[in-house]
Amino acid sequence: MSEEFYRMKRLPPYVIAEVNAMRHAARQAGKDIIDLGMGNPDLPPPAHVIEKLCEVAQKPDAHGYSASSGIPGIRRAQANYYGRRFNVDLDPETEVVMTMGSKEGLASLATAITAPGDVVLAPNPSYPIHTFGFIIAGATIRSVPTTPDEDYWRSLDRAMVFTVPRPSILIVNYPSNPTAETVDLAFYERLVAWAKENKVWILSDLAYSELYFDGNPTRSILEVPGAKDVAVEFTSMSKTFSMAGWRVGFAVGNAHLIAALKRVKSYLDYGAFTPIQAAACAALNGPQDIVEANRKLYQKRRDVLVEAFGRAGWEIPSPKASMFAWAPLPPALKEMGSLEFSKQLLTHAEVAVAPGVGYGEDGEGFVRIAMVENEQRLRQAARNVKRYLISMGVNTPAI
């Protein structure tokens, strides 16, 4: 029986996996690859969080099944975070659910609220789960731009006029992965009004809420009065507290959508390991100086990346937020395409980046650079890139 399964037919080969396989092979061969491809934080979680994990794990009654929606303490902690950070009131019982990272939460909600043939509006380029979570659930994707300019609003309006059936869900992700673009509260105010007028649910992915730069804090869509009528928002502790492998995230907002997510999750999982949930409470409720320290560190890395790569002959726009830079290919090499350029960098500069086409067709011509190496390694990456550009005949400035 060699026939491909139905859902597998809807999933194209994962482009980024091709570069990942090359990176793994290069490292196996002993090459020192500077990995700026995957957004995997290289910093440790706060010490008191690890201590809490170990403390609770010592308890004999901490190893059974947990609650799929999260223990009461973790839901209260997340509600308190939204109160402190965004001045948003959330009911921990009906408006908060813990997820296995924001990625699982989005995929589970897609399963809960999507019928085959539904049309979902998703940004292009975008993080793959924003589209494929819904494709797996049977939906059809209509792309809208990622850049939040007037063309974005025209695209939304065209989608409502010309799509059958009319779209029922809109995905937004700011700060954007992969483009690092940001929006202000006025954008969300306009978006909520649009969603109410068009009877569309909004799913906001706010995974990079605390990685903002230059003193411009990220805004939440739930700050808009009445946003909870149409929106839920996903957050993650992966980047904020360098807890990516712990898989701790949340969905908050509209009680009807949260109830649907809870119901599906009750069939699919028993929740995260209880000591992990207790440690996550310690992170949310404890000292927040680590968040500010991480933010400053990523901002410094951003400045080093932009400066060093610019001196190497590759101009990279300075991101306003997130842990990524969205870099256009050097003009002289643009015809190479993002996948081949990424392979060339890996092979000849020993620097791994993510090809933009892996985030959607509108990502072609770009690569995503993750700021997950220290400043010394970023400068070394720039030197390696400069040698590669010179070998390709690209004029580079003197350093």
Side-chain angles (χ1 to χ4, degrees):
M1 297 178 66
S2 59
E3 184 177 349
E4 193 170 13
F5 297 113
Y6 166 72
R7 283 184 173 80
M8 298 304 99
K9 294 178 183 177
R10 305 197 75 202
L11 297 176
Y14 195 41
V15 172
I16 298 170
E18 194 172 343
V19 178
N20 290 344
M22 289 180 62
R23 179 194 63 210
H24 177 72
R27 281 185 163 168
Q28 289 295 102
K31 292 187 176 181
D32 179 25
I33 302 299
I34 302 174
D35 189 3
L36 309 179
M38 188 175 181
N40 194 15
D42 62 314
L43 307 171
H48 72 277
V49 175
I50 298 175
E51 290 169 5
K52 176 59 71 172
L53 173 71
C54 297
E55 173 193 328
V56 179
Q58 295 291 334
K59 298 180 179 180
D61 61 349
H63 300 271
Y65 295 126
S66 191
S68 65
S69 60
I71 60 176
I74 193 72
R75 287 183 277 113
R76 285 195 300 269
Q78 178 67 355
N80 289 339
Y81 161 73
Y82 261 80
R84 293 192 311 267
R85 175 68 167 79
F86 301 113
N87 197 29
V88 171
D89 291 327
L90 293 170
D91 182 342
E93 296 300 317
T94 62
E95 296 176 334
V96 180
V97 59
M98 182 182 175
T99 63
M100 306 284 195
S102 57
K103 187 174 183 180
E104 177 273 326
L106 277 159
S108 292
L109 185 57
T111 300
I113 67 175
T114 306
D118 281 357
V119 176
V120 174
L121 302 175
N124 188 345
S126 72
Y127 187 55
I129 197 65
H130 296 154
T131 53
F132 291 108
F134 291 88
I135 288 173
I136 291 169
T140 298
I141 301 297
R142 176 160 178 150
S143 294
V144 296
T146 300
T147 301
D149 55 15
E150 284 305 312
D151 186 48
Y152 178 85
W153 299 104
R154 286 191 291 269
S155 295
L156 291 186
D157 290 337
R158 283 197 303 269
M160 300 313 295
V161 172
F162 295 111
T163 310
V164 178
R166 282 167 61 90
S168 55
I169 298 167
L170 169 66
I171 314 299
V172 294
N173 171 216
Y174 299 105
S176 169
N177 178 8
T179 70
E181 290 169 292
T182 60
V183 295
D184 57 17
L185 192 59
F187 174 88
Y188 285 135
E189 290 170 344
R190 187 173 175 181
L191 193 66
V192 168
W194 178 89
K196 290 186 175 184
E197 179 183 349
N198 289 281
K199 297 180 172 57
V200 172
W201 295 115
I202 300 174
L203 311 186
S204 169
D205 184 352
L206 197 66
Y208 298 90
S209 60
E210 299 308 326
L211 291 187
Y212 58 83
F213 307 135
D214 307 314
N216 296 313
T218 304
R219 307 305 294 262
S220 163
I221 194 172
L222 298 182
E223 293 181 74
V224 178
K228 284 195 287 186
D229 295 339
V230 293
V232 294
E233 191 157 68
F234 292 88
T235 55
S236 168
M237 300 186 72
S238 295
K239 278 64 178 190
T240 303
F241 294 99
S242 303
M243 294 166 61
W246 297 49
R247 308 314 301 135
V248 180
F250 300 92
V252 305
N254 180 270
H256 184 56
L257 294 180
I258 295 298
L261 177 54
K262 283 184 177 180
R263 188 169 179 181
V264 163
K265 282 179 63 62
S266 71
Y267 283 92
L268 295 179
D269 67 66
Y270 281 110
F273 186 38
T274 299
I276 285 179
Q277 296 194 50
C281 286
L284 286 168
N285 294 332
Q288 299 298 296
D289 53 340
I290 186 67
V291 179
E292 176 67 18
N294 283 353
R295 184 183 301 125
K296 289 180 178 178
L297 184 145
Y298 280 111
Q299 180 170 322
K300 179 63 175 174
R301 288 181 178 181
R302 176 202 66 174
D303 294 342
V304 168
L305 173 75
V306 171
E307 181 267 339
F309 276 61
R311 291 172 61 204
W314 186 4
E315 295 296 328
I316 296 175
S318 181
K320 296 179 181 178
S322 84
M323 63 194 305
F324 306 115
W326 186 237
L329 271 58
L333 304 178
K334 187 173 182 180
E335 294 304 313
M336 187 182 293
S338 64
L339 179 57
E340 180 60 27
F341 178 73
S342 298
K343 292 178 179 180
Q344 291 274 328
L345 275 191
L346 187 62
T347 301
H348 301 293
E350 298 187 342
V351 174
V353 297
V357 72
Y359 302 94
E361 62 183 276
D362 290 346
E364 184 54 274
F366 294 82
V367 294
R368 193 194 73 174
I369 303 175
M371 298 179 284
V372 292
E373 294 267 14
N374 63 40
E375 294 169 29
Q376 178 182 348
R377 295 279 281 176
L378 290 174
R379 294 187 189 280
Q380 178 62 53
R383 290 192 291 270
N384 292 3
V385 166
K386 181 179 176 69
R387 286 197 297 269
Y388 165 68
L389 293 177
I390 291 173
S391 75
M392 296 297 290
V394 177
N395 292 324
T396 62
I399 295 181

